[in-house]
Amino acid sequence: MDETTLLKAFEARVAAGEKIEPRDWMPERYRRQLVRMMSQHAHSEIVGMLPEGNWITRAPNLRRKMALLAKVQDEAGHGLYIYSATETLGVDRNDLIQELLDGKAKYSNIFNYPTLTWADIGVIGWFVDGAAIVNQTMLAKASYGPYARAMIRICKEENFHKKQGYEICVTLAKGTPAQRQMLQDAVNRWWWPTLMMFGPHDTESANSDELLRWKVKQKTNDELRQHFVNITVPQVHALGLTLPDPDLRYDEETGNWITGEIDWDEFWRVVRGHGPCNRERLRARRAAHEEGTWVREAARAYAAKQQRKTRPSNGVEVA
Amino acid sequence: MTLDALDTATKTALFEYLLRLGDDALILGHRLSEWCGHGPYLEEDIALANIALDCLGHANALLGLAGEVEGAGQSADDLAFFRDAIEFRNVQLVELPRGDFAFTIARQFLFSAYAHLLYEGLRESTFEPLAGIAAKAYKEVSYHLRHSSEWMLRLGDGTDESHRRTQQALNDLWMYTGELFEADDVLHALVEAGIAPDVPAARSRWKDMVTTVLEAATLQLPPEPPYMASGGRTGFHTEHLGHLLAEMQFLPRAYPDATW
């Protein structure tokens, strides 16, 4: 079959809501778009461990400390899961990670913002995981089977994380004046970066049309952002908090909360590597990778020795 | 045996003993948690976080029980966040900075072998609440011991560099292992009552366990050092603990009237 016929059959399958699986024919553009999106997604899980990991040793009680540690551990697991799903597209995890370390691959902008107080940990769970869930619930219907299945699994845990984050915020909101102030400050700092997580306006989004046509995405950036705003604004008000947006208003006609304009200069600056923590995040990932080199070499050397001895390995393979 | 059945002297000793166990788990868990996001592999980030979580779970249960035994209304959090260094009862081994991966693994291995003996015996404790905690913890420390033993093999018998780093870590750590097997009146009283196992008497078993793995890993058992660290059980610590606590306790100390 020639390319045109294959493409036609592919698009018909996608239109019919069928899942595309690793061995199926797919357009090279589709494959590359997925590798780009999925590896960015995996990188985001990994880099996303850092801002929250920043508070593990300072969590205010044992229950919160364990919950946070478990959450960050889940994120490492999500990263592994999405890297595996990406590898079904014929790429190697190590190459993807190298691109991240070289600053060639992107990850979610949100993780380039610092966690300054404990309230940030609550607000990240509530806002950032909340936004991720809106996005991932859509991706759970993506046309590529391995990605959709990864999202279904991950969404379950993310929902739990969001609940934990929200619970931290509720506790702070009901707490002392200092705690309420801490929470309001975190809301002020995380609100706009969270809205930026959904990406540029539909009119500015270079990849959107293709991704929508191939049902990798089901909804546009602006649609998802609006949905997130609509569900989150009432939650913010319910906790007696305000949002740092003087233009925020409720539109009776559409039932939407209308926000002011996002600072797109800031958005693009952070995308291009010039946000508050871009350098530190990459530096931390590179340091972990470089300091771990001798460990990975040791594991490989040991595995090779064991193989030469032609006896069954008595260790879990990690190399 | 339940709490009501204990006499005052036994309660006092038991409170002290539970602080020791709980503090060991808390401080080691804290050190392990520092690896989160910084490990050599994603898989290892997950494994170390997992072990840290187990340790913090042990700490929570043991310190919670300590508070009940003391009967002065202190929660596990009160004990974790509102005691100063001189009141902490952990061995110095667990408070040492995490060092490189070889240091973390060698420490975990030495401690896990000890914890394995400890919780194995504690499952038979005549004090039921403690036997219950130990039954669960024993399964977890068995996993920790397996994980750290496997890494000892890989690092010891891996490359020249990994061998060198791991041997160095063992040599540096050895002087801190004596504390794990110290005996005093607190322990004697509890061993007598069947509440605590006689871990000091099992030191040679520990050494055999350690030696077997070290030999397979082509590593040397360190020579007995001229100075064995001691004092953690009475609040005499290294200079590292104060910094660790400053970080760990900052929030509840800064906002003492807050709940989180």
Side-chain angles (χ1 to χ4, degrees):
Chain A
M1 269 193 280
D2 63 28
E3 189 97 348
T4 324
T5 321
L6 286 166
L7 181 62
K8 236 177 160 177
F10 170 85
E11 295 201 326
R13 286 186 64 196
V14 168
E18 277 182 52
K19 291 282 180 248
I20 305 302
E21 295 299 335
R23 290 167 181 277
D24 297 343
W25 186 89
M26 62 187 81
E28 183 55 21
R29 277 290 300 174
Y30 178 82
R31 197 185 70 82
R32 269 194 283 168
Q33 284 279 25
L34 279 169
V35 169
R36 181 185 62 82
M37 266 181 80
M38 292 168 72
S39 60
Q40 277 184 22
H41 196 154
H43 298 331
S44 300
E45 297 283 356
I46 304 312
V47 177
M49 294 168 74
L50 297 170
E52 290 178 281
N54 185 35
W55 276 90
I56 290 171
T57 55
R58 289 179 292 168
N61 61 40
L62 292 171
R63 187 167 84 89
R64 296 287 186 218
K65 191 189 282 288
M66 286 191 275
L68 180 59
L69 188 51
K71 178 186 176 183
V72 181
Q73 186 190 16
D74 281 347
E75 281 159 13
H78 296 171
L80 271 181
Y81 205 75
I82 306 171
Y83 280 129
S84 298
T86 316
E87 284 185 322
T88 64
L89 293 160
V91 289
D92 187 304
R93 198 217 296 192
N94 295 314
D95 297 335
L96 300 176
I97 291 174
Q98 196 55 52
E99 283 179 17
L100 170 69
L101 299 177
D102 292 343
K104 290 180 196 156
K106 303 230 178 318
Y107 55 86
S108 180
N109 250 5
I110 196 76
F111 302 121
N112 291 314
Y113 291 85
T115 48
L116 301 182
T117 69
W118 172 250
D120 292 34
I121 299 307
V123 172
I124 286 179
W126 176 18
F127 283 5
V128 175
D129 290 295
I133 290 165
V134 166
N135 199 29
Q136 289 172 3
T137 305
M138 168 200 67
L139 291 170
K141 296 177 196 143
S143 57
Y144 189 56
Y147 197 19
R149 288 191 289 274
M151 289 304 106
I152 290 167
R153 258 178 87 134
I154 289 170
C155 270
K156 286 180 191 158
E157 289 181 345
E158 295 287 5
N159 270 304
F160 185 64
H161 298 165
K162 185 189 165 185
K163 264 185 209 152
Q164 281 178 347
Y166 186 68
E167 197 205 310
I168 291 174
C169 293
V170 171
T171 309
L172 294 173
K174 289 181 184 163
T176 64
Q179 283 176 302
R180 280 200 297 278
Q181 194 189 337
M182 191 189 277
L183 177 62
Q184 181 64 62
D185 180 76
V187 165
N188 293 348
R189 281 182 290 108
W190 288 95
W191 175 248
W192 290 109
T194 304
L195 297 190
M196 294 179 199
M197 285 175 70
F198 295 96
H201 276 318
D202 296 346
T203 48
E204 309 286 321
S205 179
N207 298 305
S208 273
D209 286 348
E210 202 168 55
L211 295 173
L212 287 163
R213 183 158 53 92
W214 283 335
K215 293 197 177 170
V216 175
K217 292 170 92 165
Q218 315 274 328
K219 286 183 177 161
T220 71
N221 294 351
D222 287 331
E223 284 170 340
L224 293 170
R225 186 165 21 236
Q226 185 65 60
H227 177 63
F228 172 80
V229 168
N230 287 349
I231 57 176
T232 309
V233 170
Q235 293 173 347
V236 171
H237 291 159
L239 290 192
L241 300 163
T242 59
L243 285 165
D245 181 356
D247 298 327
L248 183 72
R249 64 181 174 84
Y250 186 70
D251 183 52
E252 293 283 351
E253 213 166 290
T254 56
N256 286 330
W257 282 92
I258 310 296
T259 65
E261 194 54 41
I262 287 171
D263 182 348
W264 294 109
D265 289 341
E266 175 179 326
F267 174 83
W268 290 112
R269 188 158 44 77
V270 181
V271 170
R272 290 183 184 118
H274 309 294
C277 297
N278 296 59
R279 287 162 67 90
E280 273 171 270
R281 300 293 184 238
L282 271 189
R283 200 179 290 150
R285 287 314 312 158
R286 283 186 197 127
H289 190 78
E290 280 160 24
E291 283 160 23
T293 302
W294 70 268
V295 180
R296 295 188 297 274
E297 283 170 356
R300 274 195 295 274
Y302 179 76
K305 282 182 197 175
Q306 293 305 105
Q307 218 157 33
R308 277 200 297 278
K309 287 178 191 165
T310 61
R311 67 170 196 224
S313 163
N314 53 359
V316 180
E317 290 300 332
V318 292
Chain B
M1 206 190 310
T2 57
L3 190 50
D4 297 336
L6 301 177
D7 60 39
T8 310
T10 310
K11 273 189 189 170
T12 307
L14 182 55
F15 173 63
E16 185 70 21
Y17 182 69
L18 289 169
L19 286 185
R20 296 176 183 182
L21 266 50
D23 288 350
D24 281 353
L26 175 63
I27 302 300
L28 183 59
H30 182 102
R31 283 299 185 213
L32 286 167
S33 77
E34 292 173 348
W35 277 97
C36 197
H38 305 283
Y41 293 98
L42 264 180
E43 288 86 341
E44 202 49 32
D45 265 7
I46 296 174
L48 291 177
N50 207 18
I51 298 172
L53 262 176
D54 289 343
C55 289
L56 293 172
H58 302 164
N60 195 32
L62 291 161
L63 293 177
L65 186 56
E68 284 176 42
V69 170
E70 187 196 28
Q74 295 203 78
S75 67
D77 285 330
D78 292 332
L79 290 167
F81 293 92
F82 290 98
R83 278 181 300 148
D84 205 343
I86 53 171
E87 297 166 287
F88 265 77
R89 294 292 179 256
N90 58 282
V91 290
Q92 295 179 9
L93 177 74
V94 296
E95 73 199 34
L96 302 172
R98 68 180 166 106
D100 66 3
F101 188 69
F103 190 87
T104 284
I105 289 296
R107 172 192 14 220
Q108 192 61 42
F109 167 64
L110 296 171
F111 186 84
S112 295
Y114 153 81
H116 194 259
L117 286 176
L118 169 71
Y119 287 110
E120 184 184 58
L122 268 180
R123 291 180 305 171
E124 313 297 326
S125 174
T126 53
F127 183 51
E128 282 143 22
L130 186 51
I133 292 171
K136 183 169 180 284
Y138 177 70
K139 290 179 199 156
E140 291 168 348
V141 299
S142 302
Y143 158 74
H144 304 168
L145 179 59
R146 200 180 78 205
H147 177 264
S148 55
S149 299
E150 283 169 359
W151 269 113
M152 289 302 285
L153 295 177
R154 282 192 206 107
L155 298 181
D157 196 15
T159 62
D160 288 346
E161 184 183 8
S162 69
H163 179 92
R164 179 181 57 74
R165 283 177 185 253
T166 311
Q167 186 65 56
Q168 184 65 51
L170 278 171
N171 295 351
D172 290 345
L173 283 159
W174 203 254
M175 66 178 263
Y176 295 98
T177 58
E179 271 195 291
L180 296 168
F181 301 96
E182 282 174 358
D184 63 0
D185 290 347
V186 168
L187 189 65
H188 288 314
L190 297 175
V191 170
E192 191 91 345
I195 292 173
D198 191 353
V199 173
R203 186 175 189 173
S204 64
R205 256 186 80 202
W206 175 82
K207 208 167 170 182
D208 289 344
M209 282 164 78
V210 168
T211 307
T212 307
V213 174
L214 293 192
E215 276 176 5
T218 74
L219 294 160
Q220 300 288 320
L221 200 68
E224 287 303 317
Y227 172 72
M228 264 290 176
S230 178
R233 299 300 190 206
T234 55
F236 183 87
H237 291 281
T238 68
E239 290 178 344
H240 304 293
L241 185 64
H243 294 278
L244 186 156
L245 295 180
E247 185 174 349
M248 185 176 87
Q249 299 177 337
F250 149 71
L251 267 174
R253 296 271 195 183
Y255 303 88
D257 55 341
T259 50
W260 303 93

